[in-house]
Every structure is written in C-alpha cells, then in structure tokens.
Amino acid sequence: MKTTIKLIFLLLFINVSAIAQNNKLKKNQYQLAGKIVNDFKLPGNCGYIAYAFVLEFEIIDTSLKNYENKQIPIIVRCPKFFGENFFEKNKTYTLTFTDQYKKDFGWTIPNINVLKKYNLKKQYWLIDIK
C-alpha cells in the first residue's frame, strides 16, 4: 500500500513538472498584456508580398524587464491571417513576442516609421496573440 501511494505521488510530481516546463517561455521570449493604441489600416493579404505591420500596445503587464516606456511597438507578420476585425484599437490582448526573430526573407512594413519614434535597439516580433 505504501509503495502504491509513493508511486502515485511520484507520477503526479512528474506530470506537474512536465506541465510547468511546457508553459515556460524560451530565451528571448516575453509575454505582454496590453491594448492597441495606434490608429491603423492593415495592409493587404500576404501572398506575393510578405506584409508585416507595427502595432503599438499600451502595456498593462509584461515579463520584459528594464523596459521603461508605457507603450511598445510589436511587428505582426501577415496580420490579415488573423481574420477580419481581429485587431481593434483599444481592445486588450495577451501576446507572446520575441526580440530574436529569424528573418528568412524581407518583410514589407508600410508603417515602419512607428518603430523609429521609439528608437529601440531591438525589434519585437509577435509569436502568438489571444
């Protein structure tokens, strides 16, 4: 009986450890809760041209350390793939982003000037959003 209880607790511990590791962010990945604050008109669908778009988020909460601004620009690849009206000004989102995006080809970013006003050393690229 004691062996069975020990085995159950061991399996439970292994299961909890595995789940905790799945939720852990990789190096150079961050989470953010924020709402879109900039006005925007999304570019066309990705196809022959790989469109990306910069959205500015007001930071509600973030795991990004040492970031001083109240807003952050995030580059979204192929924003129309998320569906019509997915991105809305003043709507709150939870997202994962990175500062180490591997650029496999050039992205056309119609509103690239948004990045320039922040004068950041890194660009932040969207990984996932809800």
PDB file of all heavy atoms in Angstrom, residues 45-63:
ATOM      1  N   ASN A  45      -3.385  41.203 -47.987  1.00  0.00           N
ATOM      2  CA  ASN A  45      -3.028  39.841 -47.586  1.00  0.00           C
ATOM      3  C   ASN A  45      -1.611  39.503 -48.003  1.00  0.00           C
ATOM      4  O   ASN A  45      -1.110  40.009 -48.995  1.00  0.00           O
ATOM      5  CB  ASN A  45      -3.981  38.828 -48.226  1.00  0.00           C
ATOM      6  CG  ASN A  45      -5.352  38.873 -47.611  1.00  0.00           C
ATOM      7  OD1 ASN A  45      -5.500  39.134 -46.430  1.00  0.00           O
ATOM      8  ND2 ASN A  45      -6.363  38.639 -48.419  1.00  0.00           N
ATOM      9  N   CYS A  46      -0.985  38.620 -47.234  1.00  0.00           N
ATOM     10  CA  CYS A  46       0.318  38.099 -47.638  1.00  0.00           C
ATOM     11  C   CYS A  46       0.098  37.168 -48.819  1.00  0.00           C
ATOM     12  O   CYS A  46      -0.837  36.384 -48.850  1.00  0.00           O
ATOM     13  CB  CYS A  46       0.969  37.338 -46.488  1.00  0.00           C
ATOM     14  SG  CYS A  46       1.698  38.408 -45.249  1.00  0.00           S
ATOM     15  N   GLY A  47       0.937  37.266 -49.752  1.00  0.00           N
ATOM     16  CA  GLY A  47       0.867  36.437 -50.955  1.00  0.00           C
ATOM     17  C   GLY A  47       2.181  36.603 -51.670  1.00  0.00           C
ATOM     18  O   GLY A  47       3.200  36.104 -51.226  1.00  0.00           O
ATOM     19  N   TYR A  48       2.164  37.370 -52.732  1.00  0.00           N
ATOM     20  CA  TYR A  48       3.411  37.667 -53.428  1.00  0.00           C
ATOM     21  C   TYR A  48       4.278  38.604 -52.600  1.00  0.00           C
ATOM     22  O   TYR A  48       5.494  38.598 -52.700  1.00  0.00           O
ATOM     23  CB  TYR A  48       3.139  38.290 -54.801  1.00  0.00           C
ATOM     24  CG  TYR A  48       2.488  37.328 -55.753  1.00  0.00           C
ATOM     25  CD1 TYR A  48       1.152  37.479 -56.112  1.00  0.00           C
ATOM     26  CD2 TYR A  48       3.203  36.265 -56.274  1.00  0.00           C
ATOM     27  CE1 TYR A  48       0.542  36.582 -56.979  1.00  0.00           C
ATOM     28  CE2 TYR A  48       2.607  35.359 -57.141  1.00  0.00           C
ATOM     29  CZ  TYR A  48       1.279  35.531 -57.483  1.00  0.00           C
ATOM     30  OH  TYR A  48       0.690  34.647 -58.329  1.00  0.00           O
ATOM     31  N   ILE A  49       3.629  39.413 -51.802  1.00  0.00           N
ATOM     32  CA  ILE A  49       4.350  40.344 -50.925  1.00  0.00           C
ATOM     33  C   ILE A  49       4.110  39.911 -49.483  1.00  0.00           C
ATOM     34  O   ILE A  49       2.972  39.696 -49.062  1.00  0.00           O
ATOM     35  CB  ILE A  49       3.860  41.797 -51.130  1.00  0.00           C
ATOM     36  CG1 ILE A  49       4.125  42.232 -52.569  1.00  0.00           C
ATOM     37  CG2 ILE A  49       4.532  42.735 -50.145  1.00  0.00           C
ATOM     38  CD1 ILE A  49       3.572  43.586 -52.929  1.00  0.00           C
ATOM     39  N   ALA A  50       5.191  39.801 -48.713  1.00  0.00           N
ATOM     40  CA  ALA A  50       5.097  39.429 -47.301  1.00  0.00           C
ATOM     41  C   ALA A  50       4.915  40.705 -46.483  1.00  0.00           C
ATOM     42  O   ALA A  50       5.867  41.436 -46.236  1.00  0.00           O
ATOM     43  CB  ALA A  50       6.351  38.680 -46.872  1.00  0.00           C
ATOM     44  N   TYR A  51       3.672  40.969 -46.095  1.00  0.00           N
ATOM     45  CA  TYR A  51       3.373  42.161 -45.319  1.00  0.00           C
ATOM     46  C   TYR A  51       3.512  41.891 -43.828  1.00  0.00           C
ATOM     47  O   TYR A  51       3.099  40.843 -43.328  1.00  0.00           O
ATOM     48  CB  TYR A  51       1.935  42.628 -45.564  1.00  0.00           C
ATOM     49  CG  TYR A  51       1.715  43.336 -46.878  1.00  0.00           C
ATOM     50  CD1 TYR A  51       0.940  42.761 -47.873  1.00  0.00           C
ATOM     51  CD2 TYR A  51       2.265  44.587 -47.107  1.00  0.00           C
ATOM     52  CE1 TYR A  51       0.719  43.415 -49.075  1.00  0.00           C
ATOM     53  CE2 TYR A  51       2.047  45.240 -48.307  1.00  0.00           C
ATOM     54  CZ  TYR A  51       1.286  44.657 -49.287  1.00  0.00           C
ATOM     55  OH  TYR A  51       1.077  45.298 -50.470  1.00  0.00           O
ATOM     56  N   ALA A  52       4.074  42.858 -43.146  1.00  0.00           N
ATOM     57  CA  ALA A  52       4.071  42.882 -41.691  1.00  0.00           C
ATOM     58  C   ALA A  52       3.585  44.274 -41.306  1.00  0.00           C
ATOM     59  O   ALA A  52       3.566  45.190 -42.133  1.00  0.00           O
ATOM     60  CB  ALA A  52       5.453  42.605 -41.130  1.00  0.00           C
ATOM     61  N   PHE A  53       3.185  44.425 -40.058  1.00  0.00           N
ATOM     62  CA  PHE A  53       2.608  45.690 -39.629  1.00  0.00           C
ATOM     63  C   PHE A  53       2.999  45.936 -38.180  1.00  0.00           C
ATOM     64  O   PHE A  53       3.047  45.002 -37.381  1.00  0.00           O
ATOM     65  CB  PHE A  53       1.086  45.633 -39.768  1.00  0.00           C
ATOM     66  CG  PHE A  53       0.434  46.969 -39.805  1.00  0.00           C
ATOM     67  CD1 PHE A  53       0.489  47.751 -40.951  1.00  0.00           C
ATOM     68  CD2 PHE A  53      -0.223  47.462 -38.701  1.00  0.00           C
ATOM     69  CE1 PHE A  53      -0.114  48.993 -40.987  1.00  0.00           C
ATOM     70  CE2 PHE A  53      -0.830  48.705 -38.730  1.00  0.00           C
ATOM     71  CZ  PHE A  53      -0.782  49.472 -39.880  1.00  0.00           C
ATOM     72  N   VAL A  54       3.268  47.185 -37.835  1.00  0.00           N
ATOM     73  CA  VAL A  54       3.639  47.533 -36.469  1.00  0.00           C
ATOM     74  C   VAL A  54       2.389  47.996 -35.724  1.00  0.00           C
ATOM     75  O   VAL A  54       1.717  48.935 -36.149  1.00  0.00           O
ATOM     76  CB  VAL A  54       4.702  48.651 -36.426  1.00  0.00           C
ATOM     77  CG1 VAL A  54       5.081  48.958 -34.984  1.00  0.00           C
ATOM     78  CG2 VAL A  54       5.926  48.272 -37.237  1.00  0.00           C
ATOM     79  N   LEU A  55       2.088  47.307 -34.641  1.00  0.00           N
ATOM     80  CA  LEU A  55       1.004  47.728 -33.747  1.00  0.00           C
ATOM     81  C   LEU A  55       1.627  48.209 -32.445  1.00  0.00           C
ATOM     82  O   LEU A  55       2.575  47.603 -31.939  1.00  0.00           O
ATOM     83  CB  LEU A  55       0.041  46.578 -33.477  1.00  0.00           C
ATOM     84  CG  LEU A  55      -0.805  46.129 -34.662  1.00  0.00           C
ATOM     85  CD1 LEU A  55      -1.614  44.891 -34.307  1.00  0.00           C
ATOM     86  CD2 LEU A  55      -1.740  47.249 -35.105  1.00  0.00           C
ATOM     87  N   GLU A  56       1.083  49.281 -31.917  1.00  0.00           N
ATOM     88  CA  GLU A  56       1.566  49.817 -30.648  1.00  0.00           C
ATOM     89  C   GLU A  56       0.618  49.375 -29.538  1.00  0.00           C
ATOM     90  O   GLU A  56      -0.596  49.557 -29.650  1.00  0.00           O
ATOM     91  CB  GLU A  56       1.607  51.335 -30.694  1.00  0.00           C
ATOM     92  CG  GLU A  56       2.620  51.880 -31.668  1.00  0.00           C
ATOM     93  CD  GLU A  56       2.529  53.382 -31.775  1.00  0.00           C
ATOM     94  OE1 GLU A  56       1.706  53.857 -32.594  1.00  0.00           O
ATOM     95  OE2 GLU A  56       3.253  54.071 -31.037  1.00  0.00           O
ATOM     96  N   PHE A  57       1.194  48.817 -28.488  1.00  0.00           N
ATOM     97  CA  PHE A  57       0.407  48.339 -27.353  1.00  0.00           C
ATOM     98  C   PHE A  57       0.725  49.160 -26.114  1.00  0.00           C
ATOM     99  O   PHE A  57       1.893  49.418 -25.812  1.00  0.00           O
ATOM    100  CB  PHE A  57       0.727  46.868 -27.062  1.00  0.00           C
ATOM    101  CG  PHE A  57       0.211  45.926 -28.100  1.00  0.00           C
ATOM    102  CD1 PHE A  57       0.945  45.640 -29.236  1.00  0.00           C
ATOM    103  CD2 PHE A  57      -1.026  45.314 -27.945  1.00  0.00           C
ATOM    104  CE1 PHE A  57       0.480  44.764 -30.197  1.00  0.00           C
ATOM    105  CE2 PHE A  57      -1.512  44.445 -28.900  1.00  0.00           C
ATOM    106  CZ  PHE A  57      -0.758  44.166 -30.029  1.00  0.00           C
ATOM    107  N   GLU A  58      -0.324  49.570 -25.416  1.00  0.00           N
ATOM    108  CA  GLU A  58      -0.158  50.152 -24.093  1.00  0.00           C
ATOM    109  C   GLU A  58       0.060  48.984 -23.144  1.00  0.00           C
ATOM    110  O   GLU A  58      -0.749  48.051 -23.105  1.00  0.00           O
ATOM    111  CB  GLU A  58      -1.401  50.939 -23.694  1.00  0.00           C
ATOM    112  CG  GLU A  58      -1.320  51.534 -22.304  1.00  0.00           C
ATOM    113  CD  GLU A  58      -2.611  52.243 -21.940  1.00  0.00           C
ATOM    114  OE1 GLU A  58      -3.021  53.148 -22.699  1.00  0.00           O
ATOM    115  OE2 GLU A  58      -3.218  51.870 -20.922  1.00  0.00           O
ATOM    116  N   ILE A  59       1.120  49.028 -22.387  1.00  0.00           N
ATOM    117  CA  ILE A  59       1.488  47.905 -21.525  1.00  0.00           C
ATOM    118  C   ILE A  59       0.648  47.910 -20.253  1.00  0.00           C
ATOM    119  O   ILE A  59       0.649  48.878 -19.497  1.00  0.00           O
ATOM    120  CB  ILE A  59       2.980  47.956 -21.162  1.00  0.00           C
ATOM    121  CG1 ILE A  59       3.823  47.849 -22.424  1.00  0.00           C
ATOM    122  CG2 ILE A  59       3.329  46.851 -20.162  1.00  0.00           C
ATOM    123  CD1 ILE A  59       5.303  48.100 -22.218  1.00  0.00           C
ATOM    124  N   ILE A  60      -0.068  46.811 -20.035  1.00  0.00           N
ATOM    125  CA  ILE A  60      -0.778  46.593 -18.786  1.00  0.00           C
ATOM    126  C   ILE A  60       0.108  45.762 -17.861  1.00  0.00           C
ATOM    127  O   ILE A  60       0.274  46.058 -16.686  1.00  0.00           O
ATOM    128  CB  ILE A  60      -2.128  45.892 -19.038  1.00  0.00           C
ATOM    129  CG1 ILE A  60      -3.041  46.804 -19.868  1.00  0.00           C
ATOM    130  CG2 ILE A  60      -2.797  45.499 -17.718  1.00  0.00           C
ATOM    131  CD1 ILE A  60      -4.304  46.150 -20.383  1.00  0.00           C
ATOM    132  N   ASP A  61       0.709  44.697 -18.433  1.00  0.00           N
ATOM    133  CA  ASP A  61       1.631  43.839 -17.694  1.00  0.00           C
ATOM    134  C   ASP A  61       2.564  43.180 -18.701  1.00  0.00           C
ATOM    135  O   ASP A  61       2.136  42.826 -19.794  1.00  0.00           O
ATOM    136  CB  ASP A  61       0.853  42.771 -16.918  1.00  0.00           C
ATOM    137  CG  ASP A  61       1.737  41.958 -15.993  1.00  0.00           C
ATOM    138  OD1 ASP A  61       2.720  42.522 -15.464  1.00  0.00           O
ATOM    139  OD2 ASP A  61       1.453  40.771 -15.803  1.00  0.00           O
ATOM    140  N   THR A  62       3.836  43.020 -18.326  1.00  0.00           N
ATOM    141  CA  THR A  62       4.787  42.381 -19.228  1.00  0.00           C
ATOM    142  C   THR A  62       5.888  41.684 -18.452  1.00  0.00           C
ATOM    143  O   THR A  62       6.205  42.085 -17.325  1.00  0.00           O
ATOM    144  CB  THR A  62       5.408  43.389 -20.223  1.00  0.00           C
ATOM    145  OG1 THR A  62       6.224  42.675 -21.153  1.00  0.00           O
ATOM    146  CG2 THR A  62       6.248  44.432 -19.533  1.00  0.00           C
ATOM    147  N   SER A  63       6.452  40.649 -19.071  1.00  0.00           N
ATOM    148  CA  SER A  63       7.595  39.959 -18.484  1.00  0.00           C
ATOM    149  C   SER A  63       8.912  40.555 -18.989  1.00  0.00           C
ATOM    150  O   SER A  63       9.984  40.135 -18.558  1.00  0.00           O
ATOM    151  CB  SER A  63       7.543  38.454 -18.822  1.00  0.00           C
ATOM    152  OG  SER A  63       7.681  38.255 -20.211  1.00  0.00           O
TER     153      SER A  63
END
